[in-house]
Amino acid sequence: KLLCSGVMPKPRTGSAGSGSNEAPAHERPVGRKPAWAWYSGEAKYDAVLTAALVLGALSLSASRYQGRAPYGKFGGAKAAGVSLSPQLGWLLMELPAPMMFLVGLRNGWRSRSTDDEHPHPRTMSVLATIFLIHYLNRTFVFPLLIRSPANSKATFAVMNSATGAIIVGTHGWLHGRLFSKTGKHLTREWLSTTQFRCGLVLYELGFALLLHSEHVLRCLRPRGGVVSPENRYKIPFGGGFRWVSSPQYLGELMAWAGLRMCTGSPATWFVFMISLANLVPRSFEQHKWYLRKFPDYPSRRKALVPFFC
């Protein structure tokens, strides 16, 4: 009867009592997100972030073995394999951080869409400036200002540079993409929050302590002079050295803790955990080294935290 009238019957859409529960095409799910896409929703970013956090946790669990990493006082003859000059070793180790940060920042910005929420451009610019200034110092200023004795040997292990390059390159890429795309909480109002402001103050205090402590250590040696093994190291005084043996490490940890508050992201936990695993045991090893080498070393000076340890 319907065919004779020219009216075609409508297809069933899964109503009650029908044999089909198939939803309309526009309501069907496109596909399930991978289990590791837990933070940003981007499978690649969250997979790298997950691996980085696992690596950070493993580094913390093995931190007792990292106190005498082969560079500086504990480099030289004790460094396994090929060794580099401190200037070249630091440059090669830190350079991937700003490079991969810029790659992540550019690619994240280019892949932004109008349908999703993204970091505000002003917030992105502020955080990117903080990150790049930090690594301008770590990658170029600090290595170029190192005063190595003219008669010194290479003391920076190649393996140390390679391992560090992978770590800083990873966290550089994570933060570049975080600031440009995945950090949806980094709105314009984020810069006015108490968390960001407190984090920025902590970061600036830590960065200032880091720069001053490195300056004090650098000035203990003449520029390009020949230094005898007996006079290669001296007791530093002034600034943070009034209270601890390694204020440069304390400053760096303060800076990363402050940046963690500024970003509000688990990506910064990665570099903070790696820094804790490396710098905390190294500060205690350096404190013991000072006590053994200098009988007149200040007895009230602690290793890392003033008045505590």
Side-chain angles (χ1 to χ4, degrees):
K1 186 176 181 179
L2 289 172
L3 291 175
C4 293
S5 64
V7 179
M8 298 298 294
K10 295 181 179 180
R12 298 185 178 184
T13 58
S15 57
S18 66
S20 173
N21 294 322
E22 185 177 3
H26 68 280
E27 295 180 2
R28 296 173 192 168
V30 177
R32 297 181 62 183
K33 293 181 180 179
W36 56 80
W38 56 274
Y39 176 67
S40 69
E42 290 188 7
K44 179 181 178 180
Y45 183 89
D46 291 356
V48 175
L49 176 60
T50 301
L53 293 175
V54 171
L55 176 60
L58 292 175
S59 297
L60 280 176
S61 65
S63 60
R64 58 180 296 184
Y65 305 108
Q66 302 182 48
R68 301 179 70 87
Y71 64 91
K73 296 180 179 64
F74 306 119
K78 297 180 181 180
V82 181
S83 296
L84 305 171
S85 67
Q87 294 87 346
L88 182 58
W90 275 106
L91 177 64
L92 295 178
M93 183 174 69
E94 302 289 354
L95 186 59
M99 292 179 61
M100 293 304 297
F101 175 81
L102 293 175
V103 169
L105 193 74
R106 183 196 63 178
N107 293 344
W109 179 264
R110 288 183 173 181
S111 62
R112 288 161 67 114
S113 64
T114 57
D115 299 334
D116 298 325
E117 296 180 2
H118 301 297
H120 191 274
R122 182 180 178 184
T123 306
M124 179 188 72
S125 300
V126 171
L127 291 172
T129 300
I130 295 173
F131 189 94
L132 289 174
I133 289 177
H134 185 93
Y135 274 100
L136 174 66
N137 173 68
R138 299 308 296 168
T139 307
F140 301 105
V141 177
F142 174 74
L144 291 175
L145 294 180
I146 292 177
R147 298 183 183 179
S148 297
N151 56 332
S152 65
K153 298 180 180 180
T155 59
F156 210 105
V158 170
M159 183 59 66
N160 204 59
S161 289
T163 304
I166 295 173
I167 291 173
V168 301
T170 300
H171 102 82
W173 181 82
L174 286 172
H175 283 89
R177 199 162 181 86
L178 171 74
F179 297 164
S180 61
K181 185 179 181 182
T182 62
K184 299 177 181 180
H185 64 288
L186 300 176
T187 61
R188 183 185 182 92
E189 292 73 23
W190 176 259
L191 300 178
S192 302
T193 61
T194 302
Q195 177 177 333
F196 175 82
R197 291 179 175 178
C198 292
L200 183 60
V201 171
L202 180 60
Y203 174 83
E204 291 177 341
L205 290 174
F207 192 54
L209 177 61
L210 170 66
L211 294 180
H212 183 263
S213 302
E214 289 175 345
H215 172 73
V216 171
L217 290 172
R218 191 161 45 241
C219 291
L220 294 177
R221 293 179 180 173
R223 294 179 181 273
V226 177
V227 180
S228 63
E230 295 79 13
N231 296 324
R232 183 171 184 177
Y233 294 103
K234 301 177 182 178
I235 301 177
F237 291 97
F241 290 100
R242 298 170 184 168
W243 300 286
V244 295
S245 296
S246 300
Q248 72 276 24
Y249 296 158
L250 175 61
E252 187 163 356
L253 292 174
M254 289 172 58
W256 288 127
L259 187 64
R260 166 67 187 90
M261 295 176 65
C262 287
T263 64
S265 167
T268 319
W269 276 118
F270 169 51
V271 66
F272 185 59
M273 288 191 292
I274 293 292
S275 298
L276 282 174
N278 178 32
L279 300 183
V280 172
R282 190 173 183 84
S283 66
F284 284 96
E285 289 294 335
Q286 288 203 153
H287 185 67
K288 291 187 289 186
W289 182 90
Y290 275 120
L291 292 173
R292 289 194 301 266
K293 187 171 183 63
F294 302 104
D296 56 341
Y297 193 73
S299 58
R300 294 185 178 181
R301 193 178 292 185
K302 300 298 183 179
L304 183 64
V305 182
F307 314 112
F308 182 64
C309 63

